[in-house]
């Protein structure tokens, strides 16, 4: 079916513009009113603190970010190295399958232990506890500084992985 | 031929309205996750993200309702706004694909396990743009055919 515009007078376009403004105004008023009726913990603030969000910091640092679907793919892709940036006791309590523990504060000393499994081009995914933890981003930046070229951050981390039914492996370093 | 065209426009109205009504539900239920989905496009300054997340689902809702049940002029307005939104969404998804951002489009689900955007989203939006344009033309033509109400003397 062809879509052809009818020839109409200018006044009709103005009336259409008025109707558009009316719909947009009604929708905006509804959206803002409903948000204000939300209880405080679930109410969106007018301005969010997005500048300090972990994904914004990763973007600024030039670290690519992946989300749950991408993390699931990487966990099953044996070519990808996965680093858990949390503390050893948190790692031992449960971590993503195939993940290796590399706390950001001990990266200098412990990275050498994985030398036989990594090249500078090995795809790496790093994660920590969840969206409110910065250790994985710090580790990603450090790995980039060491010269690893393909480092990706999974900001959802262990918390999101578990929330969405991901398999958790307990125990120490494989 | 007129019957086929009328059926086509009705089907287009129902399809576009259903898409907008279906799309707004998850966003209205979880505005915080939708704000994160908006932020992931990295197209808006941080100050505008929450305001858009508050308002956009309600624009989809009013457009969907206008397309379904409003008189011709309001239906045309709903279709025009819907067309504009679809065009912007399509551009934003394309940009994400070009930049290699592995995010979900945030279209129908704000859950973390929503499927990552791909070319299929662009094909679907292209079809919806076409349908929204058809609905707009039909509604605008109907509105223009009716004389505007006279002001009382």
């Amino acid at each position: 079916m062809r879509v052809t515009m009818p020839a109409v007078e200018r006044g009709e376009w103005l009336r259409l513009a008025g109707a558009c403004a009316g719909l947009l105004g009604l929708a905006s008023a509804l959206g803002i009113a409903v948000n204000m009726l939300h209880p405080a913990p679930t109410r969106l603030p007018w301005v969010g603190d997005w500048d300090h969000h972990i994904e914004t910091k990763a973007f600024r640092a030039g670290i690519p970010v992946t989300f749950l679907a991408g993390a699931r793919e990487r966990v099953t892709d044996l070519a990808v190295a996965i680093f858990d940036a949390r503390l050893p006791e948190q790692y031992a309590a449960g971590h993503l399958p195939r993940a290796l523990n590399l706390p950001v504060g001990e990266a200098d000393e412990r990275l050498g232990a994985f030398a036989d499994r990594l090249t500078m081009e090995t795809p790496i995914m790093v994660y920590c506890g969840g969206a409110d933890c910065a250790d994985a981003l710090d580790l990603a930046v450090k790995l980039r500084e060491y010269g690893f070229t393909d480092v990706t951050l999974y900001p959802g981390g262990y918390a999101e992985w578990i929330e969405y039914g991901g398999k958790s492996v307990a125990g120490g370093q494989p | 031929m007129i019957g086929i065209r009328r059926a086509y426009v009705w089907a287009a109205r129902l399809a576009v309205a259903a898409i907008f009504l279906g799309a707004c539900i998850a966003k209205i239920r979880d505005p915080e996750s939708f704000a994160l989905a908006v932020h992931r496009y990295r197209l808006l300054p941080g100050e505008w993200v929450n305001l858009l997340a508050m308002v956009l689902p309600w624009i989809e809702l009013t457009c969907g309702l206008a397309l379904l049940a409003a008189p011709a002029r309001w239906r045309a307005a709903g279709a025009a706004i819907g067309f504009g939104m679809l065009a912007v969404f399509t551009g934003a998804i394309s940009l994400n694909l070009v930049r290699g951002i592995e995010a979900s489009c945030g279209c129908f689900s704000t859950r973390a396990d929503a499927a990552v955007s791909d070319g299929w989203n662009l094909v679907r939006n292209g079809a919806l743009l076409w349908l929204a344009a058809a609905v707009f033309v039909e509604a605008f033509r109907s509105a223009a055919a009716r004389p505007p109400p006279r002001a009382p003397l």
Side-chain angles (χ1 to χ4, degrees):
Chain A
M1 294 277 177
R2 282 181 61 209
V3 179
T4 49
M5 275 306 299
V8 290
E9 55 165 308
R10 187 164 166 263
E12 194 52 44
W13 286 105
L14 289 176
R15 284 187 282 277
L16 173 70
C20 287
L23 274 187
L24 289 173
L26 173 69
S28 303
L30 273 172
I32 290 168
V34 168
N35 185 59
M36 290 175 82
L37 290 174
H38 270 280
T42 56
R43 188 185 308 148
L44 274 183
W46 287 103
V47 176
D49 187 16
W50 296 107
D51 275 355
H52 295 99
H53 194 271
I54 199 76
E55 291 175 27
T56 310
K57 290 179 181 174
F59 184 67
R60 286 194 188 129
I63 302 290
V65 170
T66 193
F67 305 105
L68 188 58
R72 284 174 175 163
E73 279 177 22
R74 284 169 171 83
V75 163
T76 55
D77 183 350
L78 298 181
V80 179
I82 301 168
F83 283 126
D84 183 324
R86 296 176 301 159
L87 298 171
E89 52 270 29
Q90 294 171 315
Y91 171 86
H95 54 264
L96 271 61
R98 296 201 311 108
L100 304 167
N101 189 212
L102 188 61
V104 63
E106 300 167 25
D108 293 335
E109 305 88 60
R110 295 178 62 166
L111 190 59
F114 309 121
D116 57 330
R117 308 185 198 192
L118 300 171
T119 68
M120 288 303 171
E121 290 75 36
T122 300
I124 296 173
M125 180 179 85
V126 294
Y127 71 91
C128 53
D132 54 354
C133 106
D135 286 357
L137 176 59
D138 293 343
L139 178 61
V141 170
K142 196 166 259 195
L143 290 171
R144 283 279 290 269
E145 286 169 2
Y146 289 148
F148 292 99
T149 55
D150 188 358
V151 184
T152 302
L153 172 71
Y154 170 40
Y158 185 70
E160 183 182 89
W161 181 263
I162 292 300
E163 184 185 344
Y164 283 88
K167 185 183 171 192
S168 175
V169 179
Q173 202 81 263
Chain B
M1 188 65 190
I2 290 172
I4 293 173
R5 180 161 193 93
R6 190 170 290 169
Y8 164 68
V9 171
W10 258 104
R13 266 176 77 177
L14 289 176
V16 180
I19 289 287
F20 279 125
L21 293 175
C24 73
I25 295 170
K27 298 168 190 165
I28 288 173
R29 283 167 68 174
D30 189 356
E32 197 175 342
S33 296
F34 180 52
L36 181 58
V38 172
H39 173 252
R40 282 179 177 159
Y41 280 97
R42 303 190 208 294
L43 292 174
L44 282 179
E47 299 80 34
W48 291 95
V49 168
N50 282 14
L51 189 61
L52 186 73
M54 276 177 220
V55 166
L56 187 84
W58 294 88
I59 297 177
E60 291 179 331
L61 178 69
T62 48
C63 280
L65 292 175
L67 286 168
L68 265 189
R73 183 164 300 120
W74 292 92
R75 202 163 67 238
I81 295 169
F83 185 91
M85 284 197 295
L86 285 165
V88 172
F89 297 161
T90 307
I93 293 169
S94 307
L95 209 57
N96 261 7
L97 292 176
V98 168
R99 294 185 297 185
I101 296 176
E102 290 181 5
S104 144
C105 71
C107 309
F108 296 98
S109 173
T110 55
R111 286 170 55 89
D113 57 354
V116 173
S117 297
D118 55 21
W120 168 243
N121 294 69
L122 301 181
V123 173
R124 182 195 65 199
N125 279 17
L128 287 170
L129 278 165
W130 183 261
L131 295 177
V135 174
F136 172 75
V137 169
E138 178 275 332
F140 191 54
R141 189 178 280 150
S142 300
R146 289 178 199 159
R150 285 191 172 185
L153 293 173

